């Protein structure tokens, strides 16, 4: 018999979580204005809001926390992080930042000007936010297959080269400071980008003369998919694949809260010393001196250790296969999900789940509320509320996909939790015809509204 994969760790410390009654949840979600970000964490049984900063650190990471060097300048922890970034990702220069969006803020302060065009593959919302905040435009060049959850495609994060070249031809290249390749592509469902596509995008960018920047939050999961799905990579280690991926990047931004398995932290990697020096000025203003940039020494130590652990095959296998375990359970129950399954999350196709609801009723948010009511499981809407309004027309933007994301924190929940989540969603699926209304917006912020939006039931 073929032995199944199993977690390459055992559990040394646990944290109690509590179940609640449906009546309690009815009250709590009402008090939270039907916005799951407003719930207290103790009102949640299984928390799938995000896989960002919610993973469990290892004993080695905790040990590293004890020997962090908190010197303002030149801390050994900075050099530990520098070595890890050089060894694993191949960048000579880097700036620490407190998280991923801070890395975007610092780098884009150098690169993105008013009127610029920044092509990419379904830019993450903070990335798009930092582009639009600078009165520039993010152009989505993701392949069309990504927008149909029923199509099987190994690399739905890929960039369509014709769309990219058309963008290069439609605008003066001086207005296109970089192309952003998001690995894996979160907004299109945790979908990977193939090595071939990375190579082709890089070649096109060099032909036209622009930078390639990787938004790298889940780069290790991307490498895992390349190993599993792309010809020629089965026998390569994750670290070898990662190294190769980054030979095609001029710069990277990293939210270390994902694949570096820390609770807080980020950085920017640079190949070019001059760009690093320009960004350092903004790093110092926004984040702190170049050798700590918003991070404690202990956190830089844990990050360096996490980068190593996060790029080990047995860990990635157990992580990505746990996500797939949930995906397969849901499929068995007939729940429509994005396929192939994402690396960090299962994305439920809310339009196919609740086809009778109009998009104006915020279908994925409605489903998120129903799942919470059913089992105390907190997911997150990746749909029209997240998509914000068009910055010019102020009309609601209704994206092609209305998704409920169930993001799985790293090394945190067991497969029994996956069974519990799947059963909760099955119960909602069994009573879907009874879900006839939806939600409406009472109050919203002008940008990134989904965090603070206040809703009511229709
Ligand atoms: N890029 C991607 C692809 C992300 O998924 C995120 C965060 C960021 C950048 C920003 O990083 O949160 O450290 O500032 N994604 C989280 C999520 C919030 O839930 O998917 P950050």
């Amino acid at each position: 018999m073929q032995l199944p994969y199993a977690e390459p760790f055992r559990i040394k410390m646990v944290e109690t979580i509590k179940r609640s009654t449906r009546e309690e949840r009815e009250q709590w979600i009402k008090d939270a204005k039907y916005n799951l970000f407003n719930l207290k964490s103790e009102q949640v049984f299984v928390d799938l809001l995000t896989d960002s900063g919610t993973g469990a650190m290892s004993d080695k990471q905790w040990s590293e926390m004890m020997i962090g060097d908190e010197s303002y300048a030149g801390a050994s922890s900075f050099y530990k992080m520098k070595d890890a970034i050089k060894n694993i990702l191949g960048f000579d220069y880097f700036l620490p930042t407190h998280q991923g969006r801070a890395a975007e803020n610092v780098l884009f302060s150098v690169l993105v000007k008013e009127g610029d065009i920044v092509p990419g593959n379904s830019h993450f919302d903070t990335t798009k936010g930092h582009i639009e905040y600078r009165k520039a435009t993010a152009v989505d060049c993701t392949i069309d297959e990504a927008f149909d959850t029923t199509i099987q495609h190994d690399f739905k994060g890929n960039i369509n080269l014709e769309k990219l070249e058309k963008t290069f031809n439609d605008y003066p290249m001086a207005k296109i400071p970089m192309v952003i390749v998001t690995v894996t592509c979160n907004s299109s469902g945790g979908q990977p980008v193939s090595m071939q596509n990375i190579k082709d995008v890089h070649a096109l960018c060099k032909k036209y003369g622009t930078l390639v920047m990787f938004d790298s939050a889940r780069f290790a999961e991307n490498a895992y998919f390349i190993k599993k799905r792309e010809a020629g990579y089965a026998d390569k280690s994750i670290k070898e694949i990662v190294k190769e991926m980054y030979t095609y990047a001029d710069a990277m931004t990293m939210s270390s809260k994902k694949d570096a398995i820390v609770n807080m932290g980020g950085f920017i990697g640079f190949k070019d010393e001059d760009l690093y020096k320009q960004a350092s000025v903004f790093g110092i203003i926004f984040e702190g001196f170049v050798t700590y940039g918003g991070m404690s020494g202990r956190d830089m130590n844990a990050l360096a250790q996490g980068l190593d652990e996060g790029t080990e095959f047995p860990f990635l296998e157990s992580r990505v296969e746990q996500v797939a375990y949930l995906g397969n359970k849901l499929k068995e129950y007939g729940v429509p999900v994005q396929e192939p399954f994402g690396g960090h999350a299962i994305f439920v196709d809310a339009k196919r789940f609740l086809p009778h609801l109009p998009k104006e009723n915020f279908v994925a948010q409605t489903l998120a509320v129903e799942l919470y009511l059913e089992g105390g499981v907190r997911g997150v809407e990746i749909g029209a509320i997240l998509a914000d309004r068009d910055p010019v027309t102020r009309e609601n933007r209704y994206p092609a996909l209305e998704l409920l994301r169930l993001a799985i924190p790293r090394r945190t929940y067991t497969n029994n939790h996956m069974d519990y989540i799947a059963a909760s969603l099955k119960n909602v699926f069994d009573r879907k015809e009874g879900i006839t209304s939806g939600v409406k917006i009472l109050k919203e912020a002008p940008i990134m509204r989904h965090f603070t939006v206040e809703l009511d039931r229709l």
Side-chain angles (χ1 to χ4, degrees), residues 74-240:
S76 65
S77 300
F78 169 80
Y79 289 102
K80 216 172 236 181
M81 191 165 151
K82 186 175 169 62
D83 285 348
I85 290 171
K86 173 72 181 164
N87 291 339
I88 295 171
L89 300 151
F91 287 92
D92 284 325
Y93 306 97
F94 94 101
L95 283 174
T97 60
H98 77 274
Q99 62 182 88
R101 67 200 69 185
E104 291 163 357
N105 187 31
V106 170
L107 183 64
F108 296 3
S109 292
V110 181
L111 291 178
V112 182
K113 309 269 179 304
E114 185 170 342
D116 279 356
I117 303 293
V118 186
N121 52 343
S122 305
H123 312 63
F124 183 65
D125 54 332
T126 60
T127 319
K128 195 185 228 168
H130 274 298
I131 293 168
E132 291 179 350
Y133 178 72
R134 289 171 173 79
K135 299 197 163 52
T137 307
V139 175
D140 186 3
C141 296
T142 315
I143 57 167
D144 292 336
E145 289 88 335
F147 304 105
D148 183 339
T149 58
T150 63
I151 293 179
Q152 286 288 344
H153 186 293
D154 280 346
F155 294 99
K156 279 187 168 177
N158 279 358
I159 287 182
N160 179 315
L161 297 167
E162 275 122 58
K163 285 191 201 174
L164 184 61
E165 190 155 24
K166 182 170 182 315
T167 312
F168 288 170
N169 288 323
D170 285 351
Y171 301 94
M173 282 313 289
K175 291 222 158 295
I176 305 183
M178 66 181 149
V179 171
I180 299 178
V181 185
T182 310
V183 288
T184 60
C185 188
N186 187 5
S187 310
S188 75
Q191 300 292 318
V193 182
S194 71
M195 191 71 86
Q196 189 58 52
N197 192 248
I198 287 174
K199 275 185 204 169
D200 293 343
V201 167
H202 179 262
L204 201 63
C205 288
K206 294 305 128 186
K207 184 174 154 203
Y208 280 82
T210 191
L211 298 178
V212 182
M213 205 285 286
F214 285 8
D215 175 353
S216 304
R218 301 177 183 86
F219 72 96
E221 289 166 12
N222 200 93
Y224 176 82
F225 285 121
I226 289 176
K227 181 177 169 75
K228 295 296 267 194
R229 297 181 185 168
E230 194 161 352
Y233 289 94
D235 296 329
K236 292 208 164 55
S237 71
I238 297 293
K239 286 190 166 67
E240 284 170 331

